[in-house]
Amino acid sequence: MWPAFAAKISSACRSDSGQVELERGTYVVNNCAADNLDDDNFDAIERALSDFEEPYSRVNPKDIPNYNPTQRGRATRALLIDNEGWMNPRQTVAELEAALVLSGRVDICDQMASKLILGSDGAIERVVLTDGSSLEGDKFLVATGAATSELIVASDIGLQIQRVFYGVGVSIEIACPTDMHTNCIRTPNRGLACGLYSAPYRYRNGPNDRMLIGASNFISPTPYLHGRLTSVETLMRGAIDQINANFYRADLIRVNVGWRPTSQDTYPLIGTTSICNLVIATGTKRDGFHLAPLLAKTVSAMLMGHEVGVAWKLFRPERQYIRTLTRQEAIEKAVRHQMSAAYQHGFEPAHNRMSSQVSAMFRDSLEKLHDDVGAFDWGIPPEMLDMYRYRHASV
């Protein structure tokens, strides 16, 4: 849906310099910088491409343009996914905002919502802003990302919606005039994170020597305004070792921090609510931007009272927890994710039974955590382990 969506944005914002940039052709590399979870996820990507008849090809890693990893970070195999693309989100969002203003149907108010006010008829009548002013309306959409829970709690409107956490992620923008990539290069997903990627980060009528390197991840009950040093260091080291050794001389332009809205069960919270004029859309994790064309179409239909298909009812905001993992499946998955994360951060086991001993330690800790939580016939999603461990999430 993105090519048509991008063209519509450019047309609506009356851009005189062409369409919102949508570039395609992503290389997925399988190296040995982490552990064999990478191998399994690489295989899963290839199976999915085949199953859904997406065009792709196996390529020799040596033939990837400007792919120049260190010897120990080099890939042993790679795929080229023809239709997987990337965009500059700063430029895209700026043009979307311009299109909304030019439409004459949208007013942008530079304030934060502090609470929703429920009227005597059981419907939302207005939203109070941080400056004390209010906005009235007939229908309301709460799409405040990771801050959704704070807004719903402050409003005290009787909705029972599971908590939304902050999936804190960091990416870095670099300038590399002599080693500019023509394509996105990424690894498969890795334990507790989304792997490593580099993507050309082009600005229309601006610098054309920028790359975006991402992305780290950890779940937090509260917002983080700045990137952790360990996240930035891991991205810089990974980019140099696993993508292009010449990045050591690149300039660090910007550290980006994002809050991926992550629900307690890790599934989206999208749909109408028991309050007749309130729709909620959050919990999309790192897929919110990616799914924007679909979410725009679907949420608009919900606001207009149109049918959107029975499948969307799975994600209704006032639902029970979706639990797709058994206890044993969750524990085994979490052990693999934690081992993968350890290798990503420099774990080098001694040449004895250390690796299996560490795995056993993780497994014992996870068994105890499940007992403490009361998770006997269901499993905790790996990314939510610390939220349960430190009692930010409960049954």
Side-chain angles (χ1 to χ4, degrees):
M1 299 174 73
W2 260 108
F5 194 58
K8 189 173 182 180
I9 293 173
S10 290
S11 175
C13 76
R14 303 171 195 170
S15 171
D16 59 359
S17 52
Q19 183 176 323
V20 170
E21 296 289 343
L22 172 58
E23 303 177 84
R24 300 194 230 185
T26 292
Y27 291 97
V28 184
V29 295
N30 185 198
N31 61 34
C32 300
D35 68 355
N36 60 5
L37 180 60
D38 272 32
D39 306 338
D40 292 345
N41 286 340
F42 184 93
D43 292 339
I45 291 170
E46 187 166 22
R47 282 196 305 272
L49 291 167
S50 178
D51 290 346
F52 288 92
E53 299 181 344
E54 277 292 321
Y56 80 97
S57 56
R58 283 280 192 117
V59 297
N60 188 327
K62 296 178 182 178
D63 295 331
I64 299 174
N66 274 330
Y67 176 63
N68 182 34
T70 63
Q71 289 299 311
R72 292 183 178 179
R74 71 188 188 279
T76 57
R77 52 183 182 164
L79 300 173
L80 172 61
I81 306 176
D82 299 87
N83 287 332
E84 180 170 288
W86 62 95
M87 306 176 74
N88 182 327
R90 290 181 181 275
Q91 183 169 283
T92 304
V93 170
E95 297 202 356
L96 177 58
E97 289 179 344
L100 293 173
V101 171
L102 286 168
S103 73
R105 296 180 294 167
V106 176
D107 292 323
I108 296 178
C109 179
D110 191 13
Q111 289 288 323
M112 294 177 63
S114 60
K115 63 180 177 178
L116 303 167
I117 303 299
L118 199 63
S120 58
D121 60 353
I124 303 297
E125 64 178 22
R126 59 195 172 94
V127 57
V128 178
L129 307 180
T130 47
D131 66 355
S133 64
S134 296
L135 293 175
E136 296 181 351
D138 298 316
K139 297 182 181 181
F140 293 81
L141 168 65
V142 171
T144 50
T148 298
S149 290
E150 285 87 338
L151 178 60
I152 297 300
V153 170
S155 301
D156 192 22
I157 50 179
L159 294 183
Q160 298 300 313
I161 298 174
Q162 62 181 281
R163 187 169 179 180
V164 179
F165 295 89
Y166 294 79
V168 181
V170 167
S171 66
I172 57 175
E173 182 180 341
I174 64 174
C176 43
T178 60
D179 292 280
M180 185 64 190
H181 287 193
T182 55
N183 297 78
C184 177
I185 299 174
R186 68 177 177 93
T187 70
N189 281 3
R190 287 174 167 167
L192 303 178
C194 48
L196 179 71
Y197 68 79
S198 67
Y201 203 60
R202 307 187 202 283
Y203 289 89
R204 183 179 301 150
N205 302 323
N208 59 5
D209 62 349
R210 302 295 172 80
M211 297 286 300
L212 194 70
I213 309 295
S216 65
N217 181 66
F218 71 91
I219 306 295
S220 170
T222 55
Y224 262 71
L225 298 177
H226 307 286
R228 286 179 169 176
L229 284 182
T230 183
S231 300
V232 176
E233 186 270 339
T234 297
L235 291 176
M236 290 191 295
R237 176 165 44 83
I240 294 169
D241 290 346
Q242 301 175 48
I243 296 176
N244 194 318
N246 289 329
F247 282 169
Y248 80 90
R249 61 192 179 197
D251 295 332
L252 178 61
I253 303 298
R254 179 187 286 117
V255 175
N256 305 299
V257 181
W259 299 334
R260 308 178 186 99
T262 306
S263 66
Q264 185 166 323
D265 67 9
T266 74
Y267 285 93
L269 298 168
I270 299 173
T272 56
T273 67
S274 55
I275 297 176
C276 64
N277 64 339
L278 177 63
V279 173
I280 291 176
T282 186
T284 51
K285 299 174 72 174
R286 58 190 171 94
D287 289 323
F289 190 97
H290 176 209
L291 295 175
L294 177 62
L295 292 175
K297 179 180 179 180
T298 304
V299 173
S300 295
M302 290 175 176
L303 287 165
M304 297 302 293
H306 300 157
E307 290 295 322
V308 296
V310 67
W312 287 95
K313 293 181 179 179
L314 291 170
F315 306 125
R316 63 189 185 278
E318 294 170 280
R319 57 173 167 76
Q320 297 296 314
Y321 297 117
I322 297 175
R323 288 170 172 160
T324 54
L325 294 172
T326 67
R327 171 178 168 135
Q328 198 54 42
E329 288 170 342
I331 289 173
E332 292 305 317
K333 185 175 183 178
V335 169
R336 291 208 68 190
H337 274 247
Q338 289 182 318
M339 290 299 295
S340 172
Y343 279 104
Q344 290 174 61
H345 290 275
F347 175 55
E348 293 187 15
H351 298 296
N352 51 25
R353 294 179 55 244
M354 179 178 284
S355 182
S356 60
Q357 288 170 333
V358 172
S359 293
M361 178 191 70
F362 283 146
R363 187 172 287 103
D364 289 344
S365 174
L366 290 164
E367 293 278 4
K368 183 178 185 305
L369 176 61
H370 277 71
D371 287 341
D372 292 344
V373 167
F376 300 109
D377 57 355
W378 58 277
I380 301 171
E383 59 264 55
M384 299 304 297
L385 290 171
D386 279 350
M387 296 302 96
Y388 281 93
R389 181 174 286 118
Y390 299 113
R391 301 295 188 264
H392 300 300
S394 58
V395 178

